């Protein structure tokens, strides 16, 4: 099975519905027999994600910079916890350890990870599937802006199309699985 990296928020002040979405995502990844690769945190959606995966018997791999370990937010219950020297090297390791990427709602860190993976895909540095889960239209304004980039020729349509969209986690995982076979 695949190693699926999930990008999501680590904020401790989120509405419960986002934590529930993350927990359900982790559980669904585990039920389908995949390994979850995460940012290695134990708080916010990231914590709910890994707990959801483990509650369904899944394997978890966390990738976290030392600075966050020092802040005691590391998911020390991970089956494998990889500690990097920086946020930049964390993204490199996450890309290397993953077969596919799924992005849930999140803030700047989540977008940073999404854009790193997407940019490297547009440069053909990897050919791994990427799916953005647009729950309740969360990413609608961003997608409109990105489509405008394409209209203005700052982003080629083929580059835009590398990022697949789904409105539910099961449909996102279906898309990933269809591109891994």
């Amino acid at each position: 099975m695949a190693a699926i990296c999930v990008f999501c928020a680590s904020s401790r002040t989120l509405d419960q519905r986002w934590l529930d979405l993350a927990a359900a995502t982790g559980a669904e990844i585990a039920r389908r027999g995949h390994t979850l690769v995460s940012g290695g945190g134990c708080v916010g959606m990231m914590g709910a994600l890994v707990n959801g995966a483990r509650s369904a018997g899944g394997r978890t791999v966390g990738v976290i910079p030392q600075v966050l370990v020092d802040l005691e937010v590391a998911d020390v219950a991970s089956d494998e916890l990889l500690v990097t020297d920086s946020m930049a090297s964390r993204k490199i390791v996450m890309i290397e350890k993953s077969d596919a990427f799924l992005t849930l709602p999140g803030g700047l860190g989540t977008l940073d990870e999404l854009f790193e993976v997407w940019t490297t895909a547009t440069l053909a540095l990897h050919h791994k599937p990427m799916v953005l889960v647009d729950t309740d239209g969360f990413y609608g304004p961003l997608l409109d802006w990105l489509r405008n980039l394409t209209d203005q020729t700052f982003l080629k349509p083929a580059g835009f199309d590398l990022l697949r969209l789904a409105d539910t986690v099961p449909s996102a995982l279906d898309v990933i699985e269809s591109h891994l076979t």
Side-chain angles (χ1 to χ4, degrees):
M1 303 286 11
I4 299 175
C5 183
V6 176
F7 303 133
C8 61
S10 60
S11 172
R12 297 175 196 225
T13 61
L14 299 171
D15 289 341
Q16 186 63 42
R17 73 183 187 127
W18 301 121
L19 301 174
D20 294 344
L21 174 66
T25 300
E28 185 68 14
I29 288 170
R31 273 194 294 278
R32 292 183 184 219
H34 302 297
T35 295
L36 170 65
V37 178
S38 78
C42 64
V43 296
M45 288 176 73
M46 204 179 304
L49 175 76
V50 294
N51 289 335
R54 281 195 287 272
S55 73
R59 182 172 189 279
T60 60
V61 176
V63 184
I64 190 167
Q66 184 64 52
V67 66
L68 296 180
V69 173
D70 295 344
L71 292 174
E72 298 181 354
V73 295
D75 177 29
V76 295
S78 285
D79 294 299
E80 184 178 357
L81 186 64
L82 305 169
V83 180
T84 65
D85 62 357
S86 68
M87 294 292 280
S89 59
R90 171 203 216 181
K91 289 183 286 187
I92 292 168
V93 173
M94 291 170 85
I95 292 169
E96 290 172 348
K97 289 284 184 184
S98 303
D99 300 308
F101 305 92
L102 187 153
T103 303
L104 295 175
L108 292 178
T110 302
L111 292 173
D112 175 53
E113 292 163 337
L114 168 65
F115 284 121
E116 176 84 16
V117 171
W118 195 2
T119 299
T120 54
T122 65
L123 297 172
L125 298 176
H126 73 80
H127 301 284
K128 301 172 183 182
M130 304 168 294
V131 181
L132 179 70
V133 179
D134 189 24
T135 302
D136 297 334
F138 181 87
Y139 283 113
L142 176 64
L143 291 168
D144 290 343
W145 180 77
L146 290 165
R147 285 185 188 99
N148 186 53
L149 286 181
T150 303
D151 294 343
Q152 300 286 329
T153 68
F154 286 103
L155 173 62
K156 294 177 183 173
F160 183 85
D161 292 342
L162 289 172
L163 182 66
R164 284 127 182 137
L165 305 175
D167 56 1
T168 68
V169 170
S171 63
L173 291 172
D174 290 346
V175 169
I176 287 172
E177 290 171 343
S178 74
H179 285 86
L180 291 174
T181 57

